[in-house]
């Protein structure tokens, strides 16, 4: 069963179903993906993450709980252990490392959140003559308005033949529009995708395929 934290901790019908299955011993375990969200999102944003400790009451003692993450910093690691009531003595820890040789970190000074020229220079749009020359890139922004403002700015800085290669996605776009944009990005018709966090939250399957398509090319956090 693939369930959200809200379903597992707040939906009464789901909770009763899990308890029925779990207490008779038919649940083999829980796998919590992106477990660092327990620490990062478990406050006011998505409090259901902090309620995941309730799953302990749905199953017989000794049922396995696996917390998985590629970005589990020390504080988040401790938060996850405490929230899920993990006994360090009885737990098994596997650390495969997070070194990604095809990714590099670079910092760039910007004059402010609306310094779109810095993004334009990073993409080197002035030298691009053909859509295939635009590096496949995701630019993450904080707000929906930022996504649209930056999208308009970048499109205004390139030839009309290149502008369809730049698009945006955020939570207020329709499901059909979001899926279309991500599909076009995956297939190469869109080279620069400006996105809020919803790109991973509302279309996780398409996003997984999209990130595979990136290979060693850029992801910019903006």
């Amino acid at each position: 069963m693939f369930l959200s934290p809200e379903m597992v901790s707040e939906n009464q019908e789901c909770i009763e179903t899990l308890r029925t299955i779990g207490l008779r011993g038919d649940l083999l375990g829980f796998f919590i993906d992106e477990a660092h969200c327990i620490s990062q999102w478990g406050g006011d944003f998505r409090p259901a993450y902090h309620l995941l400790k309730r799953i302990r009451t749905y199953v017989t003692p000794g049922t396995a709980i696996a917390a998985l993450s590629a970005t589990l910093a020390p504080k988040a690691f401790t938060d996850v252990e405490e929230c899920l009531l993990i006994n360090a003595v009885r737990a098994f820890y596997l650390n495969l490392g997070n070194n990604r040789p095809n990714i590099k970190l670079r910092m760039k000074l910007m004059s402010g959140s609306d310094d779109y020229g810095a993004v334009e220079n990073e993409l080197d749009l002035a030298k691009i003559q053909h859509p295939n020359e635009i590096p496949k890139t995701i630019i993450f922004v904080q707000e929906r308005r930022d996504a649209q403002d930056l999208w308009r700015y970048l499109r205004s800085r390139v030839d009309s033949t290149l502008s369809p290669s730049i698009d945006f996605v955020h939570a207020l776009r329709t499901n059909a529009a979001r899926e279309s944009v991500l599909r076009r990005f995956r297939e190469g018709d869109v080279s620069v995708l400006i996105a809020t966090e919803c790109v991973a939250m509302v279309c996780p399957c398409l996003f997984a395929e999209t990130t595979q398509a990136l290979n060693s090319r850029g992801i910019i956090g903006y």
Side-chain angles (χ1 to χ4, degrees):
M1 291 179 285
F2 185 79
L3 302 168
S4 70
E6 287 78 10
M7 286 290 291
V8 171
S9 61
E10 298 175 354
N11 184 286
Q12 289 303 311
E13 291 184 358
C14 180
I15 290 171
E16 290 305 316
T17 300
L18 290 176
R19 281 182 175 153
T20 300
I21 299 172
L23 293 177
R24 73 182 182 214
D26 289 340
L27 265 181
L28 298 181
F30 290 98
F31 293 82
I32 301 173
D33 196 16
E34 307 292 354
H36 58 275
C37 292
I38 291 173
S39 177
Q40 295 179 357
W41 291 358
D44 294 336
F45 180 45
R46 292 184 70 180
Y49 272 99
H50 268 176
L51 300 178
L52 285 175
K53 64 184 70 177
R54 294 179 178 177
I55 62 178
R56 292 285 189 182
T57 68
Y58 305 165
V59 292
T60 55
T63 302
I65 296 178
L68 312 173
S69 174
T71 54
L72 208 54
K75 183 183 182 306
F77 183 91
T78 301
D79 290 344
V80 170
E81 277 190 322
E82 292 178 353
C83 178
L84 298 180
L85 307 177
I86 292 175
N87 184 335
V89 175
R90 300 180 57 191
F92 172 77
Y93 296 87
L94 177 64
N95 185 353
L96 299 178
N98 58 4
N99 180 41
R100 301 293 186 267
N102 63 329
I103 298 175
K104 64 181 179 181
L105 179 65
R106 182 167 61 189
M107 297 183 65
K108 189 179 185 72
L109 181 64
M110 303 177 68
S111 62
S113 61
D114 58 351
D115 183 8
Y116 301 143
V119 182
E120 176 189 357
N121 294 337
E122 186 69 22
L123 294 173
D124 210 10
L125 293 179
K127 297 181 180 179
I128 292 174
Q129 303 295 323
H130 191 275
N132 291 340
E133 298 173 4
I134 303 176
K136 182 170 268 189
T137 305
I138 301 179
I139 303 174
F140 285 102
V141 296
Q142 292 285 351
E143 306 288 343
R144 295 187 295 263
R145 186 182 65 182
D146 295 333
Q148 293 181 237
D149 288 348
L150 181 56
W151 168 70
R152 292 190 188 98
Y153 176 86
L154 293 180
R155 283 170 60 100
S156 73
R157 306 299 292 177
V158 298
D159 185 86
S160 59
T161 59
L162 300 177
S163 58
S165 299
I166 303 171
D167 214 326
F168 72 96
V169 60
H170 58 54
L172 289 187
R173 298 201 74 173
T174 65
N175 287 335
R178 291 195 296 260
E179 291 175 4
S180 173
V181 170
L182 288 175
R183 183 175 60 254
R184 288 166 53 228
F185 181 70
R186 185 188 64 220
E187 294 172 352
D189 295 329
V190 171
S191 297
V192 177
L193 179 63
I194 305 161
T196 60
E197 283 189 349
C198 88
V199 75
M201 296 172 63
V202 297
C203 303
C205 295
L206 280 173
F207 182 65
E209 297 174 7
T210 295
T211 53
Q212 291 174 11
L214 278 172
N215 293 323
S216 61
R217 309 183 87 169
I219 298 181
I220 299 176
Y222 172 68

